[in-house]
């Protein structure tokens, strides 16, 4: 059973935050908290270095936007647990660091690559994201299209993560 | 158009070659390796049994586990972690090596990474086996997919080719080369790609230096790195191989994402400032000279091999480590330890004031003698993110064994003078 349900076909929310290039995911909770797996603690420190009100402001369906090489560094898992528990439904970035991409795709998080995204949106913009087609639409109807995930990655996200897909494929009792 | 080394090796594993960069394929690794770590191997073993009902492996020889972390406190927690690993490996008939050194090095020494092989691990530093013309890929938690199904889905990576010419000047090695490359291409310059090395400069490099270079591939965003085979790497492989092997060369008209030529003779010693290995943190030793340090470390899966220890001994011979500095040296494996002892290298280092520790991963991730707040460490470890080697309020600089040894003498970041 997945820790998080698969996302809806079209994710509707707001741009919760925009990061620049080479964003180190550890900074979401701070290095002092990267070994914590306590959901309440992670929620309390999530993004506090950027905006103390973030955890109260963010809503289910919101997305994080990043620049090039999002997730650079040592991609620990707890920072993304914090963002997920806060309601973040997807990350849209110019590009992703491979280790982060692999680790969070495993966890079923839609990581969508759309070139030019950081200049196309602002924090708090209302957006919809069709993650399968990598199509993001802003509140004024502007559409920006990136690189759609391949069929295997789509299957992983639809299953709620790689482990759930693996169970469906190799453990008939769980299918 | 021709194929890269990575396309050829991965193509072999699909059963339906050829494969091209950009395609998504299920690939079948020759070996699926792990070291025991809480939350990783213990969980994966339990999942295999309880969630997938696997009580017998189809081919146990493809599985290898190392006990190379958490070996130095000799406490109950360590004992429990490792007993779980021993029990599971016995249950499944998995090859297990305990306390023989760092697994990424043992993979080479034990003949588990011969030319043309494809290996996966959850840890990305398995890319060090590229020195032997083997492709090692750190697939993180997808290791469970490989363990359960025998295969793993990957996007076939594009390749950036590095043509190396010239030879390292005295006092310069592969650590200086990798940080020069990061400065050249950027922290994502080879993102999702494989770095392929060849040319006369590549052939001039000792195997140890090739391992150190390939093991750091992830800091350009690469998923792996690999050398063209040559007499040096093939001779090493022939000595340790368990099976016949088939070296893989790129085609002359292979398709590359980018191509760079680097003259090794032009390189200068480098130091990476604390925070990460990104371009903005990369400096020359000359720019950082004089920065005070309290700790120095030579070891890890990217260093601590015989060439690295020889370099340190060259600098420290007849010298004394500054009284304000603690220098710890960790030979990468027991075999390296024994060879360094036999060559008299460890006595040179001891006489200079270094402490020689058992071969393990424990210094590199701050488990053994963690850094205290406000300490400055210069290290040949793989990572200098905040908190990696202990206190989040300590600073980690990275450099070559020449630079670390020279800095240990003066107590400040210094270049090697001989």
């Amino acid at each position: 059973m997945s820790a998080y349900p698969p996302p809806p076909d079209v994710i509707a929310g707001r741009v919760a935050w925009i990061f620049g290039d080479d964003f180190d995911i550890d900074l979401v909770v701070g290095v002092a908290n990267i070994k914590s797996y306590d959901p309440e603690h992670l929620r309390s420190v999530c993004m506090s270095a950027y905006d103390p009100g973030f955890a109260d402001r963010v809503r289910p369906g919101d997305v994080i936007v990043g620049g090039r090489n999002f997730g650079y560094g040592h991609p620990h898992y707890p920072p993304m647990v914090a963002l997920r528990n806060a309601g973040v439904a997807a990350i849209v970035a110019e590009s992703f660091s491979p280790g982060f991409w692999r680790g969070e795709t495993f966890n079923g998080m839609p990581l969508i690559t759309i070139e030019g995204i950081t200049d196309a949106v602002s924090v708090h913009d209302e957006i919809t994201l069709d993650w399968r087609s990598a199509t993001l639409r802003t509140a004024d109807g502007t559409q920006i299209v990136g690189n759609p995930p391949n069929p295997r990655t789509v299957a992983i996200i639809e299953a709620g993560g790689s482990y759930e897909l693996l169970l469906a494929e190799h453990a008939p009792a769980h299918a | 158009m021709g194929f890269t080394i990575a396309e050829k090796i991965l193509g072999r594993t699909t059963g339906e070659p050829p494969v091209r960069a950009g395609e998504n394929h299920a690939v079948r690794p020759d070996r699926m390796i792990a070291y025991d770590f809480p939350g990783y191997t213990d969980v994966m073993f339990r999942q295999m049994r309880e969630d997938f009902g696997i009580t017998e492996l189809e081919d146990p020889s493809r599985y290898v586990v190392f006990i190379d972390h958490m070996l130095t406190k000799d406490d109950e927690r360590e004992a429990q972690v490792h007993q779980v690993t021993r029990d599971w490996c016995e249950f499944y008939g998995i090859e297990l090596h305990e306390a023989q050194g760092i697994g990424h090095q043992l993979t080479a020494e034990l003949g588990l990474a011969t030319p043309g092989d494809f290996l996966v691990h959850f840890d990305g530093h398995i890319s060090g086996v590229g020195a032997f013309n083997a492709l090692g890929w750190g697939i993180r938690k997808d290791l469970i997919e490989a363990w359960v199904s025998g295969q793993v889905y990957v996007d076939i990576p594009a390749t950036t080719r590095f043509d190396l010419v010239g030879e390292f000047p005295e006092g310069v090695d592969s650590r200086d080369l990798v940080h020069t490359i990061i400065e050249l291409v950027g922290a994502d310059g080879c993102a999702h790609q494989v770095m392929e090395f060849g040319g006369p400069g590549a052939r001039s490099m000792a195997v140890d230096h090739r391992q150190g270079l390939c093991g750091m591939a992830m800091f350009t965003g690469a998923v792996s790195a690999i050398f063209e085979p040559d007499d040096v790497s093939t001779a090493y492989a022939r000595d340790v191989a368990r099976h016949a092997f088939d070296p893989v060369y790129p085609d002359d008209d292979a398709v590359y994402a980018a191509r760079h030529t680097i003259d090794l003779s032009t390189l200068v010693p480098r130091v990476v400032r604390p925070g990460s290995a990104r371009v903005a943190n990369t400096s020359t030793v000359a720019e950082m000279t004089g920065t005070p340090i309290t700790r120095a470390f030579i070891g890890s899966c990217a260093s601590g091999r015989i060439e690295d220890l020889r370099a340190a001994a060259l600098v420290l011979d007849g010298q004394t480590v500054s009284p304000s500095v603690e220098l710890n040296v960790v030979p990468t494996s027991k075999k390296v330890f024994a060879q360094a002892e036999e060559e008299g290298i460890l006595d040179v280092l001891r006489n200079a004031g270094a402490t020689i520790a058992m071969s393990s991963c424990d210094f590199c991730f701050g488990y053994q003698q963690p850094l205290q707040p406000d300490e400055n460490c210069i290290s040949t470890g793989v990572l200098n993110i905040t908190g990696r080697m202990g206190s989040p309020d300590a600073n980690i600089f990275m450099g070559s064994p020449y630079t670390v040894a020279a800095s240990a003498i003066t107590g400040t970041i210094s270049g090697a003078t001989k």
Side-chain angles (χ1 to χ4, degrees):
Chain A
M1 183 108 182
S2 173
Y4 303 98
D9 293 347
V10 176
I11 294 167
R14 298 168 305 172
V15 175
W17 203 264
I18 300 177
F19 291 108
D21 295 345
D22 293 334
F23 177 69
D24 182 341
I25 197 69
D26 283 353
L27 300 179
V28 165
V29 295
V31 172
N33 299 301
I34 57 174
K35 292 179 181 170
S36 170
Y37 279 88
D38 176 352
E40 265 316 298
H41 176 69
L42 290 171
R43 177 183 150 78
S44 72
V45 296
C46 179
M47 299 291 282
S48 57
Y50 301 91
D51 175 1
F54 180 87
D56 294 324
R57 181 172 56 76
V58 69
R59 294 196 304 234
D62 284 358
V63 303
I64 294 286
V65 168
R68 269 181 34 170
N69 205 25
F70 185 94
Y72 173 76
H74 206 249
H76 298 103
Y77 292 101
M80 281 302 298
V81 172
L83 286 175
R84 279 241 173 174
N85 289 345
V88 167
I91 299 178
V92 183
E94 306 273 348
S95 65
F96 290 93
S97 179
F100 177 80
W101 184 87
R102 188 129 211 147
E104 288 307 326
T105 297
F106 181 93
N107 289 330
M109 171 63 88
L111 305 178
I112 306 302
T113 304
I114 302 180
E115 287 176 27
I117 187 64
T118 51
D119 291 332
V121 294
S122 301
V123 174
H124 296 162
D125 278 3
E126 300 272 353
I127 57 98
T128 57
L129 174 69
D130 181 336
W131 58 271
R132 285 188 188 79
S133 64
T135 303
L136 185 141
R137 190 182 293 272
T138 58
D140 67 4
T142 304
Q143 184 171 291
I144 177 168
V145 182
N147 306 318
N150 65 38
R152 181 70 187 177
T153 304
V154 169
I156 290 168
I157 295 170
E158 285 176 342
S162 292
Y163 197 71
E164 284 64 35
L165 182 59
L166 199 61
L167 284 173
E169 291 177 336
H170 295 278
H174 291 77
Chain B
M1 300 296 281
F3 294 87
T4 65
I5 297 175
E7 286 170 330
K8 288 185 177 183
I9 291 177
L10 292 172
R12 287 177 175 179
T13 71
T14 62
E16 294 181 52
V19 298
R20 279 284 182 201
E23 298 170 354
N24 186 265
H25 286 279
V27 294
R28 183 180 162 84
D30 296 292
R31 269 160 291 283
M32 306 178 289
I33 300 175
Y35 49 72
D36 75 344
F37 207 83
Y40 283 78
T41 35
D42 54 345
V43 170
M44 289 182 189
F45 279 129
R46 184 164 42 76
Q47 288 172 332
M48 284 173 67
R49 174 74 189 268
E50 295 178 5
D51 290 355
F52 295 94
I54 297 171
T55 54
E56 196 171 342
L57 300 179
E58 191 177 302
D59 183 359
S61 72
R62 294 169 67 209
Y63 298 72
V64 183
V65 174
F66 295 104
I67 293 180
D68 56 7
H69 287 67
M70 294 168 292
L71 288 165
T72 51
K73 288 188 179 167
D74 196 25
D75 63 12
E76 185 60 27
R77 182 171 174 270
E78 277 186 0
Q80 286 175 357
V81 167
H82 301 321
Q83 191 56 46
V84 167
T85 304
R86 289 183 207 110
D87 291 346
W88 281 113
C89 287
E90 185 179 356
F91 176 80
Y92 282 119
I94 290 175
E95 182 173 334
L96 174 68
H97 299 276
E98 178 171 355
Q100 299 299 304
I102 298 175
H104 300 309
Q105 169 67 12
L106 295 173
T107 300
E109 292 179 1
L110 295 167
L112 297 165
T114 47
D117 288 347
F118 174 50
L119 301 86
V120 295
H121 193 303
F122 59 71
D123 184 300
H125 296 296
I126 189 64
S127 59
V129 299
F132 307 99
N133 189 234
L135 188 69
W137 193 330
I139 56 172
R140 310 208 68 211
K141 288 186 176 176
D142 286 325
L143 185 65
I144 187 65
E145 180 184 350
W147 272 10
V148 165
S149 72
Q151 62 181 23
V152 60
Y153 280 87
V154 298
D155 290 326
I156 305 300
T159 292
T160 289
R161 167 79 181 191
F162 294 88
D163 295 293
L164 305 181
V165 299
E167 296 186 18
F168 288 130
E170 198 173 338
V172 171
D173 75 10
S174 55
R175 290 304 292 251
D176 304 305
L177 173 56
V178 73
H179 295 300
T180 300
I181 291 173
I182 293 167
E183 195 163 47
L184 173 70
V185 303
D188 64 344
C190 300
H192 305 273
Q193 298 181 9
V194 170
M195 305 167 80
E196 181 183 291
F197 296 99
R203 292 192 288 276
S204 79
M205 288 174 65
V207 162
D208 292 3
H209 289 150
R210 302 180 199 193
Q211 287 177 273
L213 174 60
C214 290
M216 297 287 279
M218 69 173 73
F219 299 109
T220 65
V223 296
S224 195
I226 194 160
F227 272 69
E228 277 191 32
D230 64 13
D231 292 346
V232 174
S233 58
T234 304
Y236 183 105
R238 197 178 297 118
D239 282 348
V240 297
R242 302 178 181 201
H243 309 286
F245 56 82
D246 187 11
V248 176
Y249 296 84
D251 291 331
D252 289 340
D253 58 346
V255 179
Y256 293 109
R259 193 159 189 154
H260 304 279
T261 298
I262 297 175
D263 184 349
L264 301 181
S265 70
T266 66
L267 302 185
V268 297
R270 302 240 155 204
V271 167
V272 182
R273 294 194 297 275
S276 76
R278 72 184 71 198
V279 180
N281 286 342
T282 303
S283 306
T284 63
V285 168
E287 289 169 328
M288 298 303 296
T289 296
T291 305
I293 57 152
T294 54
R295 298 278 287 271
F297 165 60
I298 296 172
S300 86
C301 54
S303 186
R305 299 186 172 85
I306 199 69
E307 293 288 348
D308 305 307
L309 302 181
R310 285 174 183 155
L314 191 67
V315 175
L316 285 162
D317 189 13
Q319 303 291 315
T320 305
V321 170
S322 166
S324 61
V325 175
E326 177 187 315
L327 169 62
N328 292 293
V329 177
V330 181
T332 311
S333 69
K334 277 193 165 180
K335 187 175 177 186
V336 171
F337 198 120
Q339 184 179 351
E341 197 77 271
E342 192 178 316
E343 289 187 20
I345 291 171
L346 297 187
D347 279 339
V348 170
L349 301 181
R350 288 186 190 105
N351 290 339
T355 299
I356 316 296
M358 73 175 283
S359 302
S360 82
C361 305
D362 287 356
F363 268 105
C364 190
F365 75 107
Y367 185 81
Q368 190 174 6
Q369 291 172 241
L371 298 180
Q372 301 303 302
D374 301 322
E375 279 205 281
N376 280 356
C377 176
I378 187 159
S379 162
T380 67
V382 294
L383 205 56
N384 65 337
I385 59 167
T386 307
R388 167 71 178 185
M389 296 178 72
S391 169
D393 297 318
N395 297 305
I396 307 166
F397 298 82
M398 295 195 297
S400 77
Y402 291 109
T403 302
V404 173
S407 303
I409 295 168
T410 62
T412 61
I413 291 178
S414 305
T417 54
K418 68 173 187 174

